[in-house]
Amino acid sequence: MSNIVNIATSLDGYISDKDDGLDWLDLIPNPDRLDFGWADFMNRIDAMVMGRKTFEKVCSFDCDWPYTKPVFVLSRSLELLPEEYKGKAEIIEGPLSEVLQTIKAKGYEHLYIDGGVTVQSFLKEDLIDEMIITVIPVLLGGGTPLFAELPEQIEFECMESQVFLNSLVQTQYRRKK
Amino acid sequence: MSNIVNIATSLDGYISDKDDGLDWLDLIPNPDRLDFGWADFMNRIDAMVMGRKTFEKVCSFDCDWPYTKPVFVLSRSLELLPEEYKGKAEIIEGPLSEVLQTIKAKGYEHLYIDGGVTVQSFLKEDLIDEMIITVIPVLLGGGTPLFAELPEQIEFECMESQVFLNSLVQTQYRRKK
């Protein structure tokens, strides 16, 4: 089983800006609409785990539901998802170790872990196996940080690093065991 | 005139760990003692500007004075440096714009800006032209952050990115004008 983060951050480590906005993700012109490995990544994973806040943000986007894999929404406050998300997303709750057992029992092995709070919760329990981090060359100067305090240092190995559009540095890290 | 940052950070953006330590900088074995471009960089710059805390840290290292270029120590509290640093380092104070005018008047054009507080002060006034950031693949989970809150977003361009020892991602950014 592997839990994988795939996320874009600013140079100063934020995943959304001071106004909770994401406009800075489009700072670099992408005329050929490169996907920066996104389709390959989505093929690799079996399911997604995201927090309630990220789920609601995705729902607010002015586009169709963007995921083809099952989505598990970690939430203690939501009881039901709107009917339109039936078959796409479901709520899951409990300690992360139990959540992962439940998901694995459904046959999903490779999980895409998304959203700041969720990634931080997984890291606090050293449950992240891989991180693909794409750095946008801007200092936002504030916003929602990707990382938070941790009880212990966590070492990773750098597997690959590439530059897209002469601008975005995408690096793949794997937990060093 | 260009003001250049060249610094190593953890994956979560810290420049020293929770105990103010730097041991994590040596996590990656470097048997051939690669310098990651350090000598070339030191040849490029004319002088250094660092804060008092960084100066005192460098003085505490169990080695000879490591710099061959003049060092300006930003400090409001220090009045005199110990005699042994005469000809190596001098104190400078005042608003950064005046500090830079003073240094430039002495004939120094390309400045290496070092130390967390100093880098943050320069960035707050949008006075950094270039940043060379080397990311060590470890989450420290706390410590001294490289970046701080900023009044405005600051855009950079990615000039080059390379991986050293299959582990360290070093990226050179230039202020986008």
Side-chain angles (χ1 to χ4, degrees):
Chain A
M1 193 161 190
S2 58
N3 303 322
I4 313 168
V5 172
N6 188 346
I7 204 158
T9 78
S10 67
L11 200 38
D12 45 357
Y14 295 105
I15 56 172
S16 65
D17 66 24
K18 287 178 189 176
D19 304 316
D20 213 22
L22 296 173
D23 291 349
W24 54 280
L25 288 174
D26 299 317
L27 272 177
I28 308 300
N30 182 9
D32 296 328
R33 304 185 73 163
L34 298 185
D35 83 343
F36 314 128
W38 181 256
D40 287 345
F41 174 73
M42 288 306 282
N43 282 335
R44 265 183 71 198
I45 59 128
D46 301 319
M48 290 184 70
V49 180
M50 62 173 66
R52 176 190 52 80
K53 210 179 144 196
T54 302
F55 173 73
E56 288 173 349
K57 186 138 202 153
V58 173
C59 294
S60 77
F61 291 158
D62 186 20
C63 67
D64 292 336
W65 183 245
Y67 306 115
T68 54
K69 302 291 171 87
V71 172
F72 294 92
V73 181
L74 283 171
S75 179
R76 278 183 295 258
S77 59
L78 284 178
E79 291 193 4
L80 269 179
L81 297 184
E83 187 66 21
E84 63 196 285
Y85 297 105
K86 206 170 170 177
K88 295 172 182 163
E90 63 182 271
I91 293 169
I92 194 161
E93 64 168 335
L96 290 187
S97 56
E98 288 176 22
V99 162
L100 289 173
Q101 275 176 9
T102 304
I103 295 175
K104 192 175 181 181
K106 290 173 189 273
Y108 304 120
E109 292 281 337
H110 303 290
L111 307 181
Y112 171 18
I113 312 300
D114 200 32
V117 175
T118 303
V119 171
Q120 291 173 9
S121 306
F122 272 72
L123 282 170
K124 270 190 188 120
E125 300 185 35
D126 195 5
L127 289 170
I128 294 296
D129 302 287
E130 189 181 322
M131 297 195 289
I132 299 167
I133 297 178
T134 305
V135 178
I136 316 290
V138 60
L139 294 174
L140 294 178
T144 307
L146 172 57
F147 297 113
E149 297 273 313
L150 293 173
E152 301 283 344
Q153 292 186 13
I154 307 180
E155 286 182 50
F156 287 82
E157 295 175 290
C158 173
M159 306 307 292
E160 194 184 359
S161 185
Q162 53 188 323
V163 180
F164 292 107
L165 300 170
N166 291 319
S167 299
L168 312 179
V169 181
Q170 183 181 85
T171 308
Q172 184 185 352
Y173 295 99
R174 190 170 65 188
R175 179 74 175 94
K176 190 171 179 177
K177 301 277 182 187
Chain B
M1 193 162 191
S2 58
N3 303 322
I4 312 168
V5 172
N6 188 345
I7 204 158
T9 78
S10 67
L11 201 39
D12 47 355
Y14 296 105
I15 55 172
S16 65
D17 67 23
K18 287 179 189 176
D19 304 317
D20 213 22
L22 296 173
D23 291 350
W24 54 279
L25 288 174
D26 299 317
L27 273 177
I28 309 299
N30 182 9
D32 296 328
R33 304 186 74 162
L34 297 185
D35 83 343
F36 314 127
W38 181 256
D40 287 345
F41 174 73
M42 287 307 281
N43 282 335
R44 265 183 70 198
I45 59 128
D46 301 320
M48 290 183 68
V49 179
M50 62 173 64
R52 176 189 53 80
K53 210 180 141 195
T54 303
F55 173 73
E56 288 173 348
K57 186 136 203 154
V58 173
C59 294
S60 77
F61 291 157
D62 186 20
C63 67
D64 292 335
W65 182 246
Y67 307 115
T68 53
K69 301 292 170 86
V71 172
F72 294 92
V73 182
L74 282 172
S75 179
R76 278 183 295 260
S77 59
L78 285 178
E79 291 192 4
L80 269 179
L81 298 183
E83 187 66 22
E84 64 197 283
Y85 297 105
K86 206 172 170 178
K88 296 171 181 162
E90 64 183 271
I91 294 169
I92 194 162
E93 64 170 335
L96 290 186
S97 56
E98 289 176 21
V99 162
L100 289 173
Q101 275 176 9
T102 303
I103 294 175
K104 193 176 181 180
K106 290 173 189 274
Y108 305 120
E109 292 280 338
H110 302 290
L111 307 181
Y112 172 17
I113 313 300
D114 200 31
V117 175
T118 303
V119 170
Q120 291 173 9
S121 305
F122 272 71
L123 282 170
K124 270 189 188 120
E125 300 185 36
D126 195 4
L127 289 171
I128 295 296
D129 302 287
E130 189 181 322
M131 297 194 290
I132 299 166
I133 297 179
T134 305
V135 178
I136 316 290
V138 60
L139 294 174
L140 294 177
T144 307
L146 172 56
F147 297 113
E149 296 272 313
L150 292 173
E152 300 283 344
Q153 292 186 14
I154 307 179
E155 286 182 50
F156 286 82
E157 295 174 291
C158 173
M159 306 308 291
E160 195 184 356
S161 186
Q162 54 188 321
V163 180
F164 291 107
L165 300 170
N166 291 318
S167 299
L168 313 179
V169 181
Q170 183 181 86
T171 308
Q172 184 185 352
Y173 295 99
R174 190 170 64 187
R175 179 74 175 96
K176 190 170 180 178
K177 301 277 183 187

